[in-house]
Amino acid sequence: MTDMLDAKTIRRRVVEELHARLGERWLKPDGAKLLIASTDNLTDFSVELECYTDRRYGEYDCSLVAVFTWKKFAKSDKDFFAWYEIKDPSSTQFRTQSSRRLSKSFLRVGFDAIDGDFVRGRGTFWVANEADLAMFVTQCVNDFDGKVGAWIRRWFTWASALDVMDGNSQLCGAWRDTAYFCLLEQAHGREAACKWIGGIDATGWPGLLAARVEYLQSQVCGAGAAQA
């Protein structure tokens, strides 16, 4: 007897099926999560796949999202907010638990966006029955064999990861400057990263975005800042 298709069941089945079909080539042997593993990965990014299910009109809109976390970025972001909350105490009221969790992610990007080269979205994948679910899993497997898998592999070296950031200006959203600084420093050193951030004039930018630039310029790269 098959399980009733609810959001929890869909996510569990996707995890099980992808482990069965991709495990040896892509995933760490953890039955509860979809963690990317590869002997070719020369970075210390941690990449986890999350399966999203949004129910509408009796069906489920399903998608896979790649979530990149990076200890170096997480520390830099934490240090920035510690500084910013002293600079602007009122900012703490906008820092919800959800926003704190999201800001620890270096990058969150959906397979649909990757497949569409970040220009156009792929059509919504609706799951209403077992056949739909099997087709969704097959699409995910095909993604790894195609454009999505090739894109994820580009994050396996610092140089190619930096190229990806350079070619997609929308990546990382509001924390792009901090993320780019960390990646540039990792690839080319503190001096190159500080030269880049020093050339940015954030006058007139929204408060938080300008503050990120100010923090890097004054606290990380400024006179007396600790050099890595």
Side-chain angles (χ1 to χ4, degrees), residues 51-164:
C51 179
Y52 285 97
T53 53
D54 181 20
R55 187 178 186 185
R56 286 183 285 175
Y57 310 113
E59 299 180 352
Y60 292 88
D61 174 6
C62 296
S63 60
L64 274 190
V65 174
V67 181
F68 290 67
T69 54
W70 186 22
K71 289 182 178 179
K72 177 174 182 170
F73 166 75
K75 182 181 185 306
S76 178
D77 201 55
K78 180 180 178 181
D79 292 345
F80 161 72
F81 276 110
W83 170 83
Y84 186 56
E85 288 172 5
I86 294 173
K87 176 182 173 65
D88 181 8
S90 68
S91 67
T92 59
Q93 65 182 303
F94 303 109
R95 294 273 287 157
T96 64
Q97 183 176 354
S98 176
S99 69
R100 290 175 190 273
R101 179 181 61 82
L102 287 173
S103 70
K104 292 180 181 179
S105 299
F106 177 80
L107 171 64
R108 305 176 71 89
V109 60
F111 280 24
D112 295 349
I114 298 170
D115 184 73
D117 296 320
F118 304 96
V119 176
R120 61 191 182 282
R122 186 162 60 187
T124 301
F125 201 109
W126 294 104
V127 171
N129 52 49
E130 293 285 341
D132 291 342
L133 180 55
M135 290 174 61
F136 176 67
V137 171
T138 296
Q139 175 181 276
C140 295
V141 172
N142 291 340
D143 281 338
F144 276 100
D145 290 333
K147 186 180 296 184
V148 174
W151 191 87
I152 290 175
R153 286 193 180 93
R154 293 189 67 192
W155 292 89
F156 286 1
T157 73
W158 296 117
S160 57
L162 186 61
D163 286 343
V164 175

Side-chain angles (χ1 to χ4, degrees), residues 23 26 29 36 42 47 59 70 84 101 113 117 133 149 155 170-171 175 191 210 214 222:
W26 278 97
I36 297 293
L42 304 179
V47 186
E59 299 180 352
W70 186 22
Y84 186 56
R101 179 181 61 82
D117 296 320
L133 180 55
W155 292 89
Q170 76 278 39
L171 290 180
W175 53 88
E191 183 177 353
E214 179 187 349

